[in-house]
Amino acid sequence: MSSATRTPRPNAGTKGVARPEREAQIVEAGCRLFGERGYIGTSVADVAESAGISKPLIYNYFGSKDGLHVACVQHASGVLVSEIERTAASGTIGFARAAVTLDGMFRLLEPRPWLWRVVFDATAPREGEAQAWLAEHERRIIDFGREGVAELMHLSGNHDDLDIDAMRAAWESIFRSLVNWWLDHPGDSPEEMTQRCLRIFTTVFGELDLAGTALG
C-alpha cells in the first residue's frame, strides 16, 4: 500500500490542531477514564489511547499523571458548580429549589456521569493541588446549600443558626446520596429520578409546595 493510501494511525493529526482544542480533548478523555476507573485504575497510556494521541504529548501539556488529574478535577468540579449556580439563580425557594437543583444535576450528568465520579473519587490522592481545588469548590457548594436550607427553614419559622447548619449538613448528605444512587441505577431517566425524589420528599416531609417549579 502506498503512503498516499495508507490508513492514518489513531494519533495522526496531532499537528495542526490548536493546543486549547487538543487539551480539551485530552481532559474530556481523562475525565471519562478517571470517572469510570478511578485515579488508581487509570494510566497516562490509557488516556492517550482514548484521546488518540501520544503519551509524550500528555506529559508535554500536563507534566504528569497528577497534572492531568488536576486539570480533570478542575474541569469536572467547575461544570458541577456552574450547574448549581445556575439553579440557585432560578428564583425558586424551599423544596422547589431542592427539586430544581436535583433535576438540573440529573440532566447534566445523564450524558457524562463520570464528571460526578471524578469529583467524588475515593481512590484519588488525599493531598495536593486537586484536593485544594476541590476544597474551594466544596466551600462554594456549601455556601449555596446553606443559602437554600436557610430559606427553607425560615419559611417554617426556624431562624436558629445551628439548626440551619445541621440541616445544611443533612441536605448535603441527602443530595449526594440521591445522585450516587441514581448513577448506580442507570435505568431511571432524569425525569423519572426527579419524580422519585419528589415522592420521597413528600413521604418524609408531607405535602410539598412546589408551585412555580420549572423543571427541565
Side-chain angles (χ1 to χ4, degrees), residues 56-144:
L57 187 63
I58 293 181
Y59 287 116
N60 181 41
Y61 283 1
F62 302 99
S64 64
K65 174 181 172 177
D66 283 344
L68 173 60
H69 181 247
V70 168
C72 291
V73 166
Q74 290 175 339
H75 173 71
S77 60
V79 171
L80 299 187
V81 170
S82 293
E83 174 57 26
I84 292 175
E85 290 176 338
R86 183 190 70 80
T87 53
S90 65
T92 55
I93 61 175
F95 279 107
R97 177 169 174 172
V100 168
T101 302
L102 280 165
D103 185 72
M105 190 59 64
F106 298 146
R107 293 174 187 274
L108 172 73
L109 293 174
E110 183 183 29
R112 295 186 293 171
W114 54 86
L115 290 175
W116 179 270
R117 300 202 186 279
V118 169
V119 173
F120 299 103
D121 179 9
T123 75
R126 297 297 92 191
E127 298 179 353
E129 187 178 351
Q131 284 304 310
W133 184 270
L134 286 175
E136 171 60 22
H137 276 66
E138 184 172 26
R139 183 194 63 77
R140 292 169 62 188
I141 291 173
I142 287 174
D143 288 344
F144 284 118

Side-chain angles (χ1 to χ4, degrees), residues 22-41:
R22 182 64 77 198
E23 284 187 350
Q25 177 190 1
I26 295 170
V27 167
E28 184 71 14
C31 282
R32 177 190 285 270
L33 292 180
F34 282 128
E36 292 179 345
R37 304 179 184 180
Y39 175 88
I40 290 180

Side-chain angles (χ1 to χ4, degrees), residues 121-192:
D121 179 9
T123 75
R126 297 297 92 191
E127 298 179 353
E129 187 178 351
Q131 284 304 310
W133 184 270
L134 286 175
E136 171 60 22
H137 276 66
E138 184 172 26
R139 183 194 63 77
R140 292 169 62 188
I141 291 173
I142 287 174
D143 288 344
F144 284 118
R146 182 178 290 111
E147 177 186 321
V149 167
E151 289 175 347
L152 177 62
M153 300 286 276
H154 292 166
L155 287 173
S156 66
N158 189 333
H159 297 269
D160 185 278
D161 287 339
L162 289 179
D163 286 358
I164 291 171
D165 192 59
M167 185 60 189
R168 190 275 311 161
W171 165 245
E172 181 181 346
S173 178
I174 291 170
F175 184 90
R176 291 188 184 186
S177 295
L178 287 170
V179 175
N180 283 326
W181 186 92
W182 175 64
L183 291 176
D184 290 336
H185 296 77
D188 269 6
S189 69
E191 296 83 358
E192 290 169 334

Side-chain angles (χ1 to χ4, degrees), residues 102 106 178 192-202:
L102 280 165
F106 298 146
L178 287 170
E192 290 169 334
M193 187 59 194
T194 297
Q195 292 304 313
R196 187 181 305 284
C197 291
L198 294 177
R199 291 195 300 272
I200 292 171
F201 292 161
T202 300

